[in-house]
Amino acid sequence: MYLVRFPGNENKIFNMDEEAVGAADSIVTEFSSYEDFLDSQITPLDLYYLEDEELARQLVELGYRGSGEVLKREEFEARKQAAEASRLSKRSQQKTLASSGKDLKDPFLIALAQREEANRSGKMTTIIFIRDKNARGQVSTRN
């Protein structure tokens, strides 16, 4: 669920769809700590009237003040850990090559297998020219 603030102090709570989940994930990756997240929602005018940063943070945490989504500390930390775990799993996930485990005998397939990892990672690009003859012996070139 997420909170949307409207002018005139009207607030509405909505169920989170994928877009809202993506926005919440960007919140936890944008801020290094929960206090930084709370501070981002406090305006200079809030600090002027409240005269206490900790009180302003408490009001934001309770949802009375602030200009964005309300997250509890536990929810922020859980999302932070989930985002970190997702980032680590993407980094450590190794894609299996299509040529791995294959006994290749054709020189063309062997050359493709040697280039596969570099092509997949974007370090290399391979262009293959194919020359084809039809039943009449006519040659056509495709790339």
Side-chain angles (χ1 to χ4, degrees):
M1 294 177 31
Y2 63 101
L3 176 72
V4 176
R5 297 184 183 280
F6 294 98
N9 292 332
E10 285 185 53
N11 299 329
K12 289 193 177 182
I13 297 176
F14 295 91
N15 288 329
M16 278 190 142
D17 55 4
E18 287 182 23
E19 187 175 305
V21 171
D25 289 343
S26 69
I27 288 172
V28 296
T29 55
E30 183 179 342
F31 302 105
S32 61
S33 71
Y34 185 65
E35 285 72 21
D36 292 342
F37 166 69
L38 293 176
D39 290 345
S40 73
Q41 297 190 37
I42 299 171
T43 66
L45 190 60
D46 295 336
L47 291 175
Y48 175 78
Y49 284 112
L50 295 172
E51 298 179 352
D52 184 11
E53 190 173 338
E54 192 56 40
L55 178 62
R57 285 178 181 165
Q58 289 174 356
L59 291 173
V60 169
E61 189 171 4
L62 293 171
Y64 292 114
R65 205 64 199 119
S67 56
E69 183 180 357
V70 177
L71 285 177
K72 298 290 181 203
R73 181 179 297 275
E74 297 79 23
E75 189 177 354
F76 181 87
E77 296 298 331
R79 287 184 184 182
K80 189 89 167 160
Q81 289 176 355
E84 181 67 18
S86 173
R87 187 183 64 80
L88 289 174
S89 71
K90 285 180 184 176
R91 179 188 291 174
S92 65
Q93 184 180 14
Q94 183 69 20
K95 294 182 180 178
T96 348
L97 300 177
S99 61
S100 66
K102 305 267 189 312
D103 184 27
L104 304 173
K105 299 198 183 340
D106 184 25
F108 174 70
L109 293 177
I110 293 170
L112 282 178
Q114 290 170 346
R115 292 170 172 79
E116 183 179 5
E117 186 175 358
N119 279 317
R120 282 190 171 204
S121 66
K123 293 178 183 174
M124 175 190 288
T125 302
T126 301
I127 300 173
I128 301 171
F129 291 94
I130 301 173
R131 186 174 300 163
D132 187 26
K133 291 184 182 180
N134 63 13
R136 295 183 180 173
Q138 298 169 325
V139 176
S140 64
T141 305
R142 300 178 195 162
N143 60 349

